[in-house]
């Protein structure tokens, strides 16, 4: 008897986890694979949680999250100008991932399609498929900084298209969509009557001159957009598992009912930590400036490596490194980089077919390690070049 259902049998370990597992068996590895801030959660946030524990806020909260945190998200976070009703239009979730999974559970019927960029963070596909949906990839090219183009989106909209998912700043490319591009996409969504899901978990980590705006802020979009965000990246709070979704009351209400049945609520102590974080936006500015310095250092290091190019990232903490000149597949390149140089980068092909020829490097380690990683990558690239007569 097969105990597992077909969906479970289809689940596979993601390429990122697989790389970690391999790296964990090795000595002296520099990990540039991990997508989380490496610094500790800021002290005031931890103090907020400690106080909550002392005061006994260690029980179930309402399914949608505590009223105070929902109110704070509506009134103090970056979406405050959009006027969300904290009683009906905001839910606190187990991280951004928890928000996405609840959302897919309540919007997807069997066979409904969701448009997703290629290359793109892996987990969306698995979640959509598990919820009966069909992920439809919208190819993006290096010529367009790996940002999907409006005409390519529109071409893929059909009778089963329910939603378009955008993620800016982007994982894995670090690109930030311009307000003009978002406006064009918003027009398509309105014209073709589709829902937009905007995953904005990296929106505090922006370095260039392109302002990072939410597509929900464009005329007529709030009512057809679900904003996903979390405290994970902005406040180095990945382990606290607190995120939120803001969107039409009808959708958020059903997500809340799902939460009641599957999880009850997000962690109570985590919610008090998040409440404190919203009172201290300067803490996420400090994290941003650490990453900004590292970004500069790392890009400068890459500039000096013959054969290496990259898409200049304006956000998040990733660089999508162009390794096409070495003539190896991205998997071969990354496997050998780990085995022969002790550096973890993630093969671009793990993020979709269009990511082939690229590798994702996360500058989520300290400056000293970054310098060492650059030296190792340089020596490795030199070796590959001479081996292949480049
Ligand atoms: N969205 C993107 C694009 C991510 O890269 C991640 C994590 O890596 C998440 C969402 C989920 O983060 P969390 O569940 O910790 O909020």
């Amino acid at each position: 008897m097969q105990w597992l259902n077909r969906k479970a049998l289809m689940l596979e370990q993601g390429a990122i986890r697989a790389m970690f597992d391999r790296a964990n068996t090795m000595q002296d590895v520099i990990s540039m694979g991990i997508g989380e801030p490496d610094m500790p959660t800021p002290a005031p946030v931890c103090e907020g949680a400690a106080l909550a524990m002392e005061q006994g806020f260690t029980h179930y909260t309402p399914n949608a999250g505590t009223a105070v945190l929902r109110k704070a998200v509506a009134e103090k976070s970056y979406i405050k100008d959009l006027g969300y009703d904290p009683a009906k239009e905001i839910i606190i979730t187990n991280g951004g991932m928890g928000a996405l999974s609840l959302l897919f559970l309540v919007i997807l019927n069997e066979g409904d399609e969701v448009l997703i960029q290629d290359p793109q963070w892996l987990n969306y596909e698995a979640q959509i498929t598990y919820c009966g949906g069909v992920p439809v990839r919208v190819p993006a090219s290096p010529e367009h900084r790996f940002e999907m183009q409006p005409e390519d989106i529109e071409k893929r909209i059909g009778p089963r298209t329910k939603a378009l998912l955008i993620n800016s700043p982007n994982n894995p490319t670090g690109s930030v969509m311009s307000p003009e591009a978002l406006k064009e996409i918003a027009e398509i969504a309105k014209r073709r009557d589709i829902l937009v899901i905007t995953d904005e978990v990296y929106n505090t980590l922006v370095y260039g001159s392109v302002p990072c705006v939410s597509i929900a802020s464009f005329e007529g979009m709030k009512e057809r957009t679900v904003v996903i965000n979390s405290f994970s990246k902005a406040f180095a709070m990945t382990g606290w598992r607190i995120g939120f979704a803001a969107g039409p009351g009808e959708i958020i209400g059903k997500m809340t009912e799902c939460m009641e049945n599957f999880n009850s609520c997000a962690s109570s102590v985590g919610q008090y930590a998040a409440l404190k974080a919203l009172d201290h936006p300067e803490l996420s500015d400090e994290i941003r400036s650490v990453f900004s310095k590292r970004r500069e250092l790392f890009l400068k290091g890459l500039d000096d490596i013959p054969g290496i190019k990259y898409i200049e990232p304006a956000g998040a903490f990733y660089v999508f490194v162009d390794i096409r000149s070495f003539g190896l597949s991205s998997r071969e390149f990354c496997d050998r980089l780990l085995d022969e140089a002790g550096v973890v980068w993630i093969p671009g092909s793990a993020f979709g077919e269009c990511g082939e020829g690229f590798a994702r490097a996360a500058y989520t380690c300290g400056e000293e390690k970054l310098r060492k990683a650059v030296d190792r990558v340089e020596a490795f690239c030199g070796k590959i070049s001479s081996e292949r007569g480049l």
Side-chain angles (χ1 to χ4, degrees):
M1 166 71 98
Q2 174 56 264
W3 301 117
L4 295 170
N5 66 18
R6 278 191 301 278
K7 284 178 179 174
L9 289 169
M10 270 163 45
L11 285 175
E12 281 176 358
Q13 186 187 43
I16 301 181
R17 278 285 145 206
M19 234 26 208
F20 285 144
D21 288 352
R22 215 152 72 71
N24 281 339
T25 64
M26 299 165 65
Q27 299 287 317
D28 188 29
V29 169
I30 301 174
S31 178
M32 300 188 70
I34 196 147
E36 69 168 329
D38 53 312
M39 55 285 280
T41 302
V45 175
C46 296
E47 284 155 21
L51 189 66
M53 284 192 279
E54 270 169 39
Q55 294 178 343
F57 295 125
T58 52
H59 299 272
Y60 293 131
T61 75
N63 304 123
T66 62
V68 274
L69 181 56
R70 275 179 284 145
K71 187 167 185 299
V73 168
E75 293 174 5
K76 295 182 184 171
S77 81
Y78 74 104
I79 52 169
K80 61 179 184 288
D81 294 340
L82 297 183
Y84 286 101
D85 175 355
K88 296 198 187 95
E89 296 177 326
I90 290 177
I91 177 172
I92 308 299
T93 55
N94 295 305
M97 290 179 82
L100 286 161
S101 53
L102 288 177
L103 175 63
F104 294 134
L105 280 170
V106 305
I107 64 167
L108 294 177
N109 287 314
E110 204 68 32
D112 280 348
E113 296 174 358
V114 181
L115 304 182
I116 314 175
Q117 183 177 282
D118 181 344
Q120 182 63 78
W121 184 54
L122 338 164
N123 303 49
Y124 300 135
E125 273 212 351
Q127 288 199 358
I128 290 167
T129 308
Y130 216 95
C131 294
V134 179
V136 173
R137 305 301 293 257
V138 181
S141 70
E143 290 70 40
H144 292 116
R145 309 171 45 73
F146 281 121
E147 289 167 24
M148 54 186 167
Q149 299 299 295
E151 60 274 20
D152 294 324
I153 295 172
E154 186 135 31
K155 256 190 249 164
R156 284 164 183 80
I157 297 177
R160 295 307 309 265
T161 309
K162 181 151 271 178
L164 163 70
L165 199 158
I166 57 179
N167 168 223
S168 171
N170 187 268
N171 176 6
T173 66
S175 68
V176 177
M177 289 174 121
S178 68
E180 295 73 29
L182 289 173
K183 194 159 191 294
E184 270 190 73
I185 292 173
E187 291 310 318
I188 294 174
K190 284 187 277 185
R191 192 168 63 245
R192 305 296 297 269
D193 191 21
I194 55 173
L195 181 74
V196 173
I197 303 163
T198 174
D199 178 346
E200 304 177 349
V201 300
Y202 293 101
N203 73 340
T204 57
L205 299 169
V206 178
Y207 316 103
S209 51
V210 181
C212 187
V213 298
S214 175
I215 195 166
S217 62
F218 291 103
E219 174 81 36
M221 284 306 287
K222 185 183 160 198
E223 46 273 54
R224 63 170 61 252
T225 302
V226 179
V227 174
I228 305 286
N229 212 320
S230 100
F231 294 80
S232 290
K233 322 284 178 176
F235 293 96
M237 286 177 66
T238 46
W240 298 82
R241 310 307 304 130
I242 301 295
F244 63 85
E250 179 195 12
I251 294 178
I252 299 297
K254 284 293 168 195
M255 287 169 70
T256 305
E257 285 170 27
C258 246
M259 178 69 110
E260 175 186 354
N261 289 298
F262 290 130
N263 295 115
S264 185
C265 60
S267 145
S268 62
V269 173
Q271 292 188 54
Y272 283 94
L275 189 62
K276 196 72 175 188
L278 285 175
D279 279 334
H280 291 279
E282 77 285 357
L283 298 172
S284 81
D285 292 342
E286 284 163 21
I287 290 172
R288 191 202 75 88
S289 60
V290 171
F291 282 119
S292 175
K293 263 182 79 189
R294 288 184 189 173
R295 171 182 173 276
E296 219 167 281
L297 185 149
F298 183 50
L299 293 184
K300 226 180 242 162
L302 290 182
D303 287 339
D304 292 335
I305 304 179
I308 288 276
K309 288 191 269 178
Y310 54 83
I311 308 291
E312 183 145 349
F317 36 54
Y318 305 109
V319 182
F320 215 41
V321 184
D322 184 344
I323 52 166
R324 287 176 292 184
S325 73
F326 298 100
L328 298 176
S329 73
S330 60
R331 176 155 288 279
E332 276 174 297
F333 185 96
C334 292
D335 278 344
R336 287 192 57 183
L337 183 67
L338 175 58
D339 291 335
E340 297 167 36
V343 176
V344 180
W345 285 7
I346 307 297
S349 57
F351 302 98
E353 277 173 27
C354 298
E356 185 49 278
F358 287 75
R360 190 193 77 176
Y363 43 97
T364 47
C365 55
E367 292 186 19
E368 203 181 310
K369 279 197 182 158
L370 274 182
R371 282 196 196 90
K372 211 161 149 186
V374 167
D375 290 344
R376 290 185 184 189
V377 172
E378 184 166 14
F380 173 74
C381 290
K383 181 172 146 194
I384 300 289
S385 298
S386 57
E387 195 181 286
R388 300 179 71 88
L390 302 171

